[in-house]
Amino acid sequence: MTDKLNRRAALRCLAAGLPMAAGVAGSSSLLAADTALKTSWLTSTRKGLDWVARTQTRMGHWASQAYPTAMAALAGTALIASGSTTTQGPYAKNIRRVTDFIYSKRRDNGLIGDPLTDNRYTYGHGFSMLFLSQVLGEEEDEERREELISTLTKAVEFTVSAQTTSGGWGYVSAKDGNDFDEGSTTITQVQGLRGCRNAGIVVPSEVVERAKQYIYSCQNPDGGISYSSKNRGTSRPAITAASICCLQNAGEYGGDVVDKMINYCKDNLHQIQTQQQAFSHWHYTYLYYAQVVYREGFRDREFWEAFRDRLYTEIVRKQRSDGAWDDTTVGPIYVTSCNLIMMQLDYGFLPIYQR
């Protein structure tokens, strides 16, 4: 009941264009921050959400030449993280359009995506499972719930069939990709599977266990995770941060492997490197590492809040006047969605990101 009341309070604030303050889930943590900083974060988030809603096409996607299914699912996740659902809130229409667009990408074999035009379709499939599973948790229309359940059940079956012999996933299914796998696509599948399981969809436990073993096999002595089980090399900060999320989503929150990975990320990521510094995939990296630190904040609130203050300050500093953030590779919808998901972790609305 409390979560429902908090969501309703958030929707009233969003609809009125007001900052989300007392009475909204996660806001007690926000209120502990400096008032001026907090206001700038809330204003930035609202501007970003409005830009996402404003630039959506009538078909439900965004003007991105690359990975349209993945981008739509990420943007939809950012919108639903605000408290809006398919029926309530200022972004309800946009979330419905995303859902319809993702439905249009369903294949008979359970894949959500287009293998003819997307040579990395597992990203879109994983992000779509994640988004739709969060929609399912708030869907009250029985007919739409049944359609979501059917779609997600088939999507899980596809992910199971696409797993490689090493236990990971590649840019395409194991059959289409000669059994190649790598860390970033493995993370999208496991997080999507966890979202489905949280929503009541049956997910085979052995599939998740094999994915955990895959990550174990990719760990280097420094605690970081290498790119692939078949292409070992130096540890990658982005893959390591995402792999911690993967293990946490698989129910592994501690132990020697996870602790070493967290220590590696603390050494390499925790002080918030600027976007001009050495390693690549800044937004991808912090999208996942922020989730890790947020969960760790359950035990040490100051650990999360000090990190959050640095992260949000860097994000707000780079925002454009129209509410978006720039990206030269995939397009602004990608980094804008990643930033908005990070900026809304404290709201605690989506089960997949909760502590």
Side-chain angles (χ1 to χ4, degrees):
M1 179 62 73
T2 300
D3 287 344
K4 291 290 185 182
L5 290 174
N6 284 333
R7 183 180 285 274
R8 292 191 187 107
L11 293 177
R12 286 195 296 270
C13 291
L14 281 167
L18 300 172
M20 287 180 278
V24 181
S27 64
S28 60
S29 181
L30 286 176
L31 290 171
D34 175 81
T35 301
L37 273 179
K38 181 195 69 174
T39 300
S40 73
W41 300 341
L42 296 171
T43 300
S44 173
T45 300
R46 180 58 190 262
K47 284 175 60 180
L49 290 168
D50 286 347
W51 181 87
V52 170
R54 189 170 64 248
T55 55
Q56 186 184 31
T57 71
R58 285 182 146 187
M59 298 297 293
H61 65 293
W62 280 262
S64 173
Q65 293 182 337
Y67 319 124
T69 305
M71 295 305 103
L74 267 177
T77 301
L79 291 172
I80 202 171
S82 72
S84 285
T85 69
T86 56
T87 59
Q88 299 181 69
Y91 307 115
K93 177 179 68 175
N94 305 97
I95 294 168
R96 287 197 302 272
R97 283 179 177 172
V98 176
T99 305
D100 291 341
F101 175 75
I102 290 175
Y103 277 176
S104 74
K105 297 298 181 181
R106 294 176 295 183
R107 307 289 160 176
D108 290 342
N109 63 354
L111 170 66
I112 303 173
D114 188 349
L116 298 179
T117 61
D118 187 350
N119 62 357
R120 299 189 175 191
Y121 58 71
T122 50
Y123 282 123
H125 182 78
F127 287 136
S128 294
M129 284 198 297
L130 177 62
F131 168 71
L132 292 179
S133 66
Q134 306 310 291
V135 171
L136 176 59
E138 292 295 327
E139 183 57 67
E140 297 178 357
D141 181 88
E142 188 60 33
E143 186 174 337
R144 289 182 70 91
R145 280 187 61 83
E146 290 301 319
E147 187 170 20
L148 281 164
I149 290 169
S150 175
T151 297
L152 288 171
T153 299
K154 291 179 179 178
V156 168
E157 291 172 355
F158 177 84
T159 292
V160 171
S161 68
Q163 191 173 29
T164 68
T165 54
S166 298
W169 285 266
Y171 300 126
V172 296
S173 70
K175 180 184 68 174
D176 293 344
N178 295 318
D179 207 40
F180 172 80
D181 48 49
E182 61 91 52
S184 66
T185 48
T186 296
I187 275 71
T188 62
Q189 302 313 299
V190 174
Q191 196 162 62
L193 290 173
R194 177 58 183 263
C196 289
R197 192 183 75 175
N198 286 349
I201 307 299
V202 175
V203 175
S205 58
E206 62 270 18
V207 173
V208 177
E209 184 59 35
R210 290 180 62 212
K212 289 164 58 177
Q213 296 300 322
Y214 171 81
I215 293 175
Y216 299 159
S217 72
C218 292
Q219 188 170 43
N220 289 323
D222 64 0
I225 303 299
S226 57
Y227 169 68
S228 167
S229 66
K230 296 178 175 62
N231 184 15
R232 299 296 299 274
T234 59
S235 298
R236 306 279 187 95
I239 297 296
T240 305
S243 294
I244 302 171
C245 265
C246 181
L247 291 176
Q248 289 177 337
N249 290 149
E252 190 123 349
Y253 296 96
D256 186 57
V257 173
V258 175
D259 290 346
K260 286 182 178 178
M261 291 164 66
I262 290 176
N263 287 334
Y264 172 87
C265 286
K266 285 180 179 178
D267 290 341
N268 289 276
L269 301 174
H270 201 72
Q271 295 307 310
I272 309 296
Q273 295 176 321
T274 67
Q275 297 171 38
Q276 288 74 39
Q277 288 177 303
F279 73 88
S280 59
H281 307 297
W282 192 96
H283 294 90
Y284 177 92
T285 302
Y286 282 107
L287 171 65
Y288 288 105
Y289 187 57
Q291 295 173 47
V292 172
V293 182
Y294 178 70
R295 291 194 183 103
E296 290 294 303
F298 178 76
R299 292 190 287 266
D300 183 353
R301 190 174 69 180
E302 290 185 4
F303 178 69
W304 158 245
E305 290 180 351
F307 170 83
R308 176 201 63 195
D309 292 0
R310 295 192 300 272
L311 176 66
Y312 290 7
T313 297
E314 173 65 13
I315 289 174
V316 171
R317 185 178 71 83
K318 300 290 287 185
Q319 190 173 28
R320 297 186 331 207
S321 59
D322 65 356
W325 285 266
D326 283 316
D327 177 65
T328 58
T329 54
V330 181
I333 190 60
Y334 168 64
V335 295
T336 300
S337 300
C338 289
N339 286 343
L340 289 172
I341 291 170
M342 288 185 268
M343 296 280 284
Q344 297 177 104
L345 287 174
D346 260 321
Y347 299 166
F349 290 133
L350 299 187
I352 193 64
Y353 300 134
Q354 289 172 355
R355 288 169 172 155

